[in-house]
């Protein structure tokens, strides 16, 4: 049996066509079912539905053999014990710095002022501002980062942007792109070593489905 971890919402929705072209169909949808383990048309493959940020953990500990995780999650949490053989090219967005429309970010950078940064991505933000030689105070949030600058909790945020609609709706602007983000296939390194005959064909058919085989 192979166990495949993924999150519902955008990752599941965009992974579904790839799974289909790799010959995998879940027997139920995670949106309509409350089950967290979903059977598929393949008796040797089941899906685990977990939080997006928990996918690497399930795969690292071997509770799942493989999974799909955003590059943002992997960069933030590390990827020890994982191989990342395929960029699936789905759930694309970018990690960016954003500030209120009225704020002159470049002037603040040039002045070398200390800024307050609100984000869910503490490690990514630390590395980004350290590389720029900027001194920051980090405020860890778990969501709705866009609110923080509007109420004086922070000067800037680090968050994912895709259409830019959320920033715009909240009077914010993107001032720096930190990285491009897309979802990756991740596989437990030990499982791939001990059961290559099981995991490699699945990995290869997903790579082909993603146009990367
Ligand atoms: O919701 P939960 O706490 O369970 O976890 P999650 O929010 O991490 O999960 P989910 O399903 O929302 O996101 C899963 C993955 O999708 C992320 O880890 C990213 O790799 C990827 N992804 C792609 C995105 C976006 N695009 C995205 N736009 N994740 C989040 N967003 C959010 C962003 O944080 C911001 O609030 O959408 C908003 C911006 O969107 P635009 O279109 O208004 O710019
Ligand atoms: Mg979310």
């Amino acid at each position: 049996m192979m166990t495949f971890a993924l999150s519902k919402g955008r990752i599941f929705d965009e992974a579904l066509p790839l799974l289909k072209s790799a010959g995998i169909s879940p027997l139920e949808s995670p949106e309509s079912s409350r089950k967290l383990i979903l059977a598929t048309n393949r008796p040797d493959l089941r899906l685990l539905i977990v939080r997006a940020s928990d996918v690497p953990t399930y795969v690292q500990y071997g509770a799942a053999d493989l999974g799909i995780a955003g590059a943002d999650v992997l960069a933030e949490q590390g990827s020890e014990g994982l191989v990342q053989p395929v960029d699936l090219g789905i759930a694309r967005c970018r990690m960016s710095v954003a500030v209120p429309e009225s704020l002159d970010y470049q002037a603040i950078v040039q002045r070398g002022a200390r800024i307050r940064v609100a984000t869910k991505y503490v490690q990514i933000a630390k590395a980004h501002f350290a590389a720029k030689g900027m001194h920051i105070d980090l405020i860890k949030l778990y969501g709705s980062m866009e609110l923080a600058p509007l109420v004086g909790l922070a000067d800037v945020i680090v968050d994912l942007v895709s259409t830019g609609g959320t920033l715009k709706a909240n009077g914010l602007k993107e001032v720096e792109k930190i990285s491009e983000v897309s979802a990756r296939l991740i596989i437990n390194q030990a499982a791939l070593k001990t059961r290559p005959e099981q995991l490699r064909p699945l990995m290869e058919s997903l790579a082909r489905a993603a146009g990367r085989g």
Side-chain angles (χ1 to χ4, degrees), residues 37-201:
I37 302 179
L38 301 181
T40 73
N41 62 320
R42 284 179 52 165
D44 64 338
L45 183 69
R46 59 179 186 169
L47 305 183
L48 296 191
I49 304 301
V50 305
R51 286 289 289 264
S53 45
D54 290 335
V55 169
T57 308
Y58 278 85
V59 181
Q60 275 163 333
Y61 282 90
D65 300 302
L66 68 175
I68 298 178
D72 52 318
V73 171
L74 293 165
E76 182 65 21
Q77 305 193 358
S79 52
E80 215 187 292
L82 298 175
V83 285
Q84 296 181 46
V86 189
D87 179 351
L88 295 169
I90 58 170
R92 285 182 177 282
C93 55
R94 54 196 183 270
M95 184 71 69
S96 291
V97 179
V99 303
E101 264 152 21
S102 58
L103 190 93
D104 186 348
Y105 178 67
Q106 290 313 328
I108 290 178
V109 173
Q110 272 153 28
R111 232 188 302 134
R114 194 174 185 91
I115 55 167
R116 277 197 298 180
V117 180
T119 188
K120 178 167 145 182
Y121 301 98
V122 170
Q123 302 306 328
I124 293 170
K126 254 189 208 159
H128 174 72
F129 291 107
K132 288 173 67 78
M134 287 174 70
H135 297 286
I136 61 164
D137 292 314
L138 268 169
I139 299 172
K140 162 88 184 180
L141 292 177
Y142 291 87
S144 303
M145 270 78 84
E146 294 87 357
L147 181 60
L150 307 183
V151 294
L153 178 61
D155 306 301
V156 322
I157 62 169
V158 169
D159 195 10
L160 299 173
V161 181
S162 77
T163 62
T166 307
L167 292 182
K168 193 150 187 258
N170 291 291
L172 303 174
K173 62 182 179 190
E174 202 175 349
V175 288
E176 259 169 7
K177 183 172 85 178
I178 299 176
S179 61
E180 291 288 345
V181 170
S182 58
R184 313 295 159 99
L185 181 67
I186 57 173
I187 307 185
N188 178 283
Q189 201 163 29
L192 187 59
K193 271 204 191 112
T194 52
R195 290 182 285 132
E197 70 293 343
Q198 215 183 12
L199 291 165
R200 285 209 168 268

